[in-house]
């Protein structure tokens, strides 16, 4: 008889994990508090477009879904940085178009994953919220939208129900998990650039757009302004999802000092003058979207023996500035499904091993995501940062077995996040030593720099690209 696994949460990570477990012979039931998005339409959760990178793509390949997802995605070659005076320039993520990331719609991806999981035999139960869990009795209590409750046997339960996880709360009540939530102190507000056909032709031409896009489509657009920024990610139908990131409180500019959409529009007129005309429904967008919070979640324990486990954002929610939250969660599903397939009768050992493998990596990407916020809002326009970036590109070209930018390690390989973090720190120290405070990469003797690199750092491990 197939082992029964109960999953709480039918979002991206929950649906993909369910599909992978069902494909390995497990009997999987998924309980999701929201209605079926394929029937009711996609609602809830952050709707910022998601950046799909190699780690997430590899998980989708293993699930047989990568090609279907890429057909619904838009390529992003790099960061298109927009300066205050209206100039822009592309900073590539990788060396060529084999190293790109993809902008995907959270809702469309979720519905595709639900279809795939159902096709694999997963049973979904929508409109079912977790009320409580009795881990000793191996039972959970659920309630529907009308408050009608029921109790079910759940000998093994896995929580993929996001940063506000109900299962995590139940586990923490049973045995404290050492939970810490660190607020970034910054928040975000979503806006939208419509397809080019809804804007004046001369406006689109001057902004660099073409075809149905108001901006150059194969890029993540950034308007860095020091302590704050805007970003825009392309959608397949030609629109862009825009996010304004600002301090939540404090001196101007902050969300606290922008009391309404009219104040926000005046702020945009001063700080984002080239972006504002591309958002014709600015007032309605600003008033219609809530201010989203940004935090990092840390737990000492992800599981209760072999009875309950947390994965994805339920275990390690991070801020979105490295575009790795979904990718990290998808990587979780690959590791966990493989471990459970090897030892289906030893969930206690599997859950402990899963945390041992994944926690150092989730801690590393959490740290890198926080650092990347500073880089995106400030460093991308800093001359010293640009000099380090230029020198790093030269070293990577001359000595590819010894140097790879940390962003490339994180985004385009399967090297563990923890390794990428530590190697990136060592490489940054070396770049600082080579530049000696200079803002001109050409001032460095490249041959001598390569010799120093090889003498200082060991070769990189085998680089597993997709």
């Amino acid at each position: 008889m197939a082992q029964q696994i109960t999953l709480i949460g039918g979002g991206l990570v929950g649906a993909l994990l369910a599909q992978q477990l069902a494909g390995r012979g497990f009997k999987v039931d998924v309980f999701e508090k929201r209605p079926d998005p394929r029937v009711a339409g996609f609602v809830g959760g952050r709707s910022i477009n998601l950046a799909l990178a190699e780690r997430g793509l590899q998980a989708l390949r293993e699930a047989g879904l990568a090609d279907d997802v890429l057909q619904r995605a838009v390529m992003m070659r790099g960061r298109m940085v927009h300066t205050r005076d209206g100039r822009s320039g592309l900073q590539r993520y990788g060396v060529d178009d084999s190293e790109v990331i993809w902008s995907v719609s959270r809702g469309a991806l979720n519905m595709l994953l639900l279809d795939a999981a159902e096709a694999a035999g997963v049973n979904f139960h929508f409109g079912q919220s977790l009320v409580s869990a009795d881990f000793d009795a191996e039972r959970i209590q659920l309630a529907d939208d009308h408050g009608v409750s029921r109790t079910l046997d759940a000998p093994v339960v896995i929580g993929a129900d996001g940063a506000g996880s109900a299962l995590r709360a139940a586990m923490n009540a049973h045995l404290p998990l050492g939970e810490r939530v660190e607020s970034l102190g910054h928040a975000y507000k979503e806006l939208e650039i419509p397809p080019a056909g809804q804007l004046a032709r001369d406006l689109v031409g001057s902004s660099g757009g073409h075809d149905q896009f108001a901006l150059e489509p194969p890029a993540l657009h950034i308007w860095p302004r020091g302590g704050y920024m805007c970003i825009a990610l392309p959608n397949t139908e030609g629109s862009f999802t825009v996010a304004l990131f600002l301090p939540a409180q404090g001196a101007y500019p902050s969300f606290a000092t922008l009391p309404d959409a009219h104040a926000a529009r005046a702020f945009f007129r001063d700080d984002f003058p080239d972006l504002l005309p591309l958002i014709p429904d600015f007032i309605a967008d600003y008033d219609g979207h809530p201010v989203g919070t940004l935090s990092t979640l840390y737990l000492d324990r992800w599981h209760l023996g072999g009875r309950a486990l947390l994965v994805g954002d339920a275990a390690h929610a991070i801020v979105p500035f490295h575009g790795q939250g979904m990718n990290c969660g998808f990587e979780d599903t690959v590791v966990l499904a493989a471990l459970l397939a090897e030892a289906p009768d030893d969930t206690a050992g599997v859950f402990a091993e899963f945390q041992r493998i994944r926690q150092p990596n989730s801690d590393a990407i959490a740290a890198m995501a926080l650092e990347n916020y500073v880089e995106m809002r400030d460093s991308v326009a800093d001359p010293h940062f640009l000099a380090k970036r230029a020198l790093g590109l030269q070293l990577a070209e001359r000595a590819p077995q010894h140097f790879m930018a940390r962003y490339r390690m994180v985004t385009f390989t399967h090297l563990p996040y923890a390794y990428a973090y530590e190697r990136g720190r060592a490489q940054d120290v070396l770049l600082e030593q080579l530049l000696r405070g200079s803002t001109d990469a050409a001032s460095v003797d490249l041959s001598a720099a390569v010799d120093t690199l090889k003498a200082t750092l060991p070769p990189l491990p085998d680089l597993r690209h997709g």
Side-chain angles (χ1 to χ4, degrees):
M1 181 177 176
Q3 181 166 344
Q4 175 187 344
I5 292 182
T6 301
L7 266 170
I8 306 299
L12 300 177
V13 172
L16 182 59
L17 177 59
Q19 188 247 23
Q20 293 187 64
L21 292 175
R24 286 169 166 83
F26 292 91
K27 182 181 182 299
V28 183
D29 282 271
V30 179
F31 296 90
E32 167 58 49
K33 67 180 179 181
R34 291 170 295 185
D36 187 340
R38 298 164 298 179
V39 177
F42 183 77
V43 294
R46 293 178 302 175
S47 60
I48 291 177
N49 290 45
L50 300 166
L52 178 63
E54 173 55 32
R55 296 168 197 273
L57 268 173
Q58 179 59 24
L60 292 171
R61 288 188 199 105
E62 296 200 13
L65 300 173
D67 290 342
D68 287 342
V69 171
L70 289 178
Q71 289 176 8
R72 297 163 170 80
V74 181
M75 177 197 294
M76 296 187 294
R77 292 189 173 102
R79 299 166 173 164
M80 184 66 72
V81 179
H82 298 259
T83 60
R84 211 181 279 266
D85 60 7
R87 292 179 293 113
S88 62
L90 182 68
Q91 297 178 5
R92 268 193 177 271
Y93 290 134
V95 293
D96 54 35
D97 278 359
S98 70
E99 294 183 342
V100 298
I101 61 177
W102 301 86
S103 175
V104 296
S105 160
R106 180 187 294 270
L109 179 57
N110 198 174
M111 289 185 272
L112 183 150
L113 293 175
L114 291 173
D115 285 342
E118 280 192 341
V122 174
N123 296 310
F124 283 94
H125 310 268
F126 294 96
Q128 299 288 315
S129 297
L130 180 71
V131 176
S132 63
D134 186 334
F135 298 105
D136 293 325
E138 299 182 346
R139 295 175 71 78
I140 60 172
Q141 183 182 3
L142 301 154
D144 66 16
D145 295 338
H146 304 289
V148 177
S149 64
R150 57 175 172 154
T151 301
L152 298 175
D153 291 333
V156 179
V157 59
I158 299 174
D161 49 341
S165 170
L167 184 63
R168 186 177 73 244
M171 291 168 64
N172 195 55
H174 180 84
L175 178 69
L177 304 177
E179 178 178 321
R180 303 179 310 284
V181 178
E182 295 183 4
S183 173
L184 181 63
H186 288 227
Y188 69 91
K189 171 86 74 166
E190 283 194 359
L191 306 162
E192 184 179 30
I193 298 172
Q198 299 179 29
L199 297 168
R201 187 181 299 272
D202 59 340
L203 183 61
V204 173
S206 63
S207 67
H210 56 81
D211 299 327
Q212 75 267 41
F213 293 93
L215 293 166
E216 184 173 333
L220 184 153
H221 293 257
I222 305 179
W223 290 260
R225 298 296 183 262
Y228 52 96
M229 67 175 181
C230 272
I231 66 171
L233 282 76
N235 299 305
T236 52
E237 82 282 2
S239 66
F240 284 80
T241 300
V242 178
L244 166 66
F245 295 93
L246 278 178
Q249 302 292 329
Y252 181 91
S254 66
F255 281 110
T257 59
L258 300 176
D260 54 38
H262 294 282
R265 185 166 63 178
F267 163 60
F268 265 70
R269 193 178 298 119
D270 291 337
D271 282 65
F272 306 104
D274 58 329
L275 176 57
L276 180 59
L278 301 176
I279 310 175
D281 294 329
F282 184 92
I283 297 294
D285 276 1
Y286 196 90
D287 281 341
H289 293 132
V291 175
T293 58
L294 299 163
S295 301
T296 304
L297 169 69
Y298 302 95
L299 298 176
D300 293 335
R301 285 172 291 281
W302 292 5
H303 65 100
L304 299 178
R307 292 169 290 177
L309 172 72
L310 300 169
V311 299
D313 282 355
H316 49 72
I318 62 176
V319 295
F321 302 111
H322 215 303
Q324 285 291 309
M326 173 183 67
N327 294 281
C328 183
F330 280 4
E331 202 171 51
D332 279 356
T333 71
V334 173
V335 174
L336 180 58
L339 289 172
L340 281 169
E342 290 174 5
D345 298 320
D346 182 20
T347 52
V350 165
F351 291 175
E353 178 67 1
F354 174 76
Q355 180 175 347
R356 187 194 69 80
I357 293 170
R358 295 299 293 161
Q359 191 168 35
N361 293 302
S362 67
D363 286 348
I365 191 56
M368 290 187 283
L370 290 166
E371 291 178 10
N372 219 43
Y373 183 35
V374 177
E375 180 175 310
M376 291 174 73
R377 76 189 195 205
D378 193 358
S379 301
V380 290
D382 176 67
H384 184 63
F385 169 83
L386 295 175
K388 283 200 297 184
R389 185 177 184 275
L391 180 56
L393 288 171
Q394 292 175 315
L395 292 175
E397 184 176 353
R398 291 279 295 270
Q401 299 305 314
H402 282 77
F403 193 97
M404 174 179 272
R406 188 179 82 179
Y407 186 92
R408 289 180 62 211
M409 284 189 275
V410 168
T411 309
F412 304 123
T413 81
H414 305 153
L415 293 172
Y417 287 124
Y419 175 86
Y421 185 43
E422 292 304 324
R423 180 70 178 215
R425 292 174 67 178
Q427 290 180 168
D428 192 67
V429 169
L430 179 64
L431 291 174
E432 292 283 2
Q433 292 172 347
L434 293 172
L435 279 168
R436 299 170 186 246
S438 172
T439 58
D440 181 13
S443 67
V444 177
D445 181 329
L446 191 56
S447 295
V450 169
D451 290 342
T452 301
L453 166 65
K454 292 181 176 179
T456 305
L457 297 176
L460 296 160
D462 288 338
L463 300 174
R464 294 186 295 140
H465 288 66

